[in-house]
Amino acid sequence: MAICFLSPAKPISISPLIYNKKPAVIRCNFSLPTITTTEPEPVFTSVRSFAPATVANLGPGFDFLGCAVDGLGDFVSVRIDPSVHPGEISISDICGTHASIKLSKNPLWNCAGIAAIATMKMLNIRSVGLSLTLEKGLPLGSGLGSSAASAAAAAVAVNEIFGGKLEVKDLVLAGLESEAKVSGYHADNIAPAIMGGFVLIRSYDPLELMSLKFPEGKELFFVLVSPDFEAPTKKMRAALPAEIGMPHHVWNCSQAGALVASVLQGDLVGLGQALSSDKIVEPKRAPLIPGMEEVKKAAMRAGAFGCTISGAGPTAVAVIDDEERGKEIGKSMVEAFSKEGNLKAVAMVKRLDRIGARLVGSVPTR
């Protein structure tokens, strides 16, 4: 049963705290151990966190490359709630532009709730109950890491309300618990949602994450065009081949390597070429999204350095180095979705989010 959300009497103050405690390489095991042997005391009565949208795969990097996108994402508010049983969490409300009746308030069946529970387990929380509100800024099934944004924001919020005891790797594992139940065990959304920037998943067993530093001072814009069409991740994953030939394997590996090198060098032309080069996943998914193949061609004709499907789709993502040119590319892509796919679409031009999930508001304990 959902418990009513009561806003704290004291207004939430905006905090500059950024959740960006990350080394270049992060290694951890699959399991969710209790990290803190002593249960931490809450340092806030309530917190509000934000986690950004993400672009997974980036063309040839299926399940092992992703990046965070600035200006889009989900918010999660968590507060200490005496009416909730100690050691448990209740989802009191789901709201926002993209709130949906499809989202359950049962924390065992909600991506934010699952990640929050996993974080509480790691922190060994037994003495207090929590109430959570999810504000959806991302549409479901959009290819922009909607479930990962909710999970990342929830994990960070729970961690910070108890003083930020967990490391980034722990929060990624908590988010993976959620992703595994919602869309599959893949970290190419949840890792960049928490860490920000570009992230390479080097290994899943054990989990090993590498932060790829895109050079400061280099301009990078993502043209995100989202059609009015839902592409559930599980359905889009089911369309993928069980086996691939050696030539395609070699090609995709070389292009993924080129993409990583281009990110580190700040080479947007090389990044775009690699982004557009997938021969394994995109050819199977593009026909399932009306107009996608022509949208990609339209983006390239309009001057994009590269274009591919964002995550499982249906959003198309193109890259460019100029915001105004990005807007023109977006218009061409929207027109192609309308003409070739008979779909309405919305275009946005966004920068890389270098920060990842962070605390944006808090009320300290008295």
Side-chain angles (χ1 to χ4, degrees), residues 266-353:
D267 175 8
L268 288 190
V269 174
L271 191 159
Q273 290 174 344
L275 185 87
S276 305
S277 66
D278 175 31
K279 289 188 176 181
I280 297 173
V281 176
E282 183 182 312
K284 296 296 183 182
R285 286 178 167 173
L288 302 179
I289 304 170
M292 177 60 76
E293 290 158 315
E294 291 302 317
V295 168
K296 180 174 181 176
K297 293 177 183 177
M300 301 303 289
R301 285 195 299 266
F305 294 144
C307 181
T308 190
I309 302 170
S310 177
T315 295
V317 57
V319 291
I320 194 64
D321 60 355
D322 181 82
E323 187 172 11
E324 290 305 314
R325 286 179 65 196
K327 292 177 181 178
E328 292 302 315
I329 292 167
K331 289 179 183 178
S332 297
M333 295 168 70
V334 168
E335 290 172 2
F337 262 128
S338 177
K339 182 179 178 180
E340 304 296 336
N342 197 29
L343 293 175
K344 293 181 180 179
V346 176
M348 301 170 285
V349 182
K350 300 293 181 181
R351 283 186 165 90
L352 177 71
D353 184 311

Side-chain angles (χ1 to χ4, degrees), residues 2-3 21 30 43 51 64 78 106 120 135 160 167 183 215 238 273-274 329 338 357-358:
I3 297 173
K21 311 168 187 173
F30 273 124
V43 298
F64 65 87
V78 171
N106 183 337
M120 292 177 73
E135 300 171 50
E160 291 299 335
E167 298 179 7
S183 59
Q273 290 174 344
I329 292 167
S338 177
R358 60 265 203 184

Side-chain angles (χ1 to χ4, degrees), residues 105-169:
K105 287 187 179 180
N106 183 337
L108 297 175
W109 294 100
N110 180 285
C111 47
I114 296 167
I117 291 168
T119 307
M120 292 177 73
K121 177 182 176 182
M122 288 181 176
L123 289 168
N124 198 26
I125 303 302
R126 304 184 308 275
S127 301
V128 297
L130 302 176
S131 182
L132 180 151
T133 295
L134 172 60
E135 300 171 50
K136 287 299 298 177
L138 293 173
L140 307 181
S142 61
L144 292 171
S146 178
S147 61
S150 298
V156 165
V158 172
N159 187 43
E160 291 299 335
I161 206 169
F162 293 103
K165 304 295 184 182
L166 301 180
E167 298 179 7
V168 168
K169 65 181 182 181

Side-chain angles (χ1 to χ4, degrees), residues 11-187:
I12 292 179
S13 60
I14 297 300
S15 163
L17 179 60
I18 293 171
Y19 212 88
N20 198 20
K21 311 168 187 173
K22 55 178 185 285
V25 179
I26 296 172
R27 298 180 178 88
C28 54
N29 294 319
F30 273 124
S31 57
L32 286 176
T34 299
I35 304 299
T36 56
T37 54
T38 303
E39 181 181 2
E41 293 288 331
V43 298
F44 300 110
T45 58
S46 66
V47 297
R48 189 167 185 252
S49 63
F50 170 81
T54 47
V55 173
N57 301 338
L58 296 171
F62 176 70
D63 273 7
F64 65 87
L65 285 172
C67 67
V69 177
D70 186 45
L72 297 169
D74 288 356
F75 290 89
V76 165
S77 298
V78 171
R79 68 182 180 91
I80 304 297
D81 191 340
S83 67
V84 177
H85 191 276
E88 297 182 1
I89 190 162
S90 169
I91 297 178
S92 55
D93 193 19
I94 301 173
C95 58
T97 306
H98 298 287
S100 171
I101 57 173
K102 295 180 182 179
L103 294 178
S104 173
K105 287 187 179 180
N106 183 337
L108 297 175
W109 294 100
N110 180 285
C111 47
I114 296 167
I117 291 168
T119 307
M120 292 177 73
K121 177 182 176 182
M122 288 181 176
L123 289 168
N124 198 26
I125 303 302
R126 304 184 308 275
S127 301
V128 297
L130 302 176
S131 182
L132 180 151
T133 295
L134 172 60
E135 300 171 50
K136 287 299 298 177
L138 293 173
L140 307 181
S142 61
L144 292 171
S146 178
S147 61
S150 298
V156 165
V158 172
N159 187 43
E160 291 299 335
I161 206 169
F162 293 103
K165 304 295 184 182
L166 301 180
E167 298 179 7
V168 168
K169 65 181 182 181
D170 304 317
L171 299 179
V172 172
L173 278 175
L176 270 173
E177 282 285 298
S178 172
E179 291 287 83
K181 294 181 180 178
V182 174
S183 59
Y185 199 91
H186 56 93

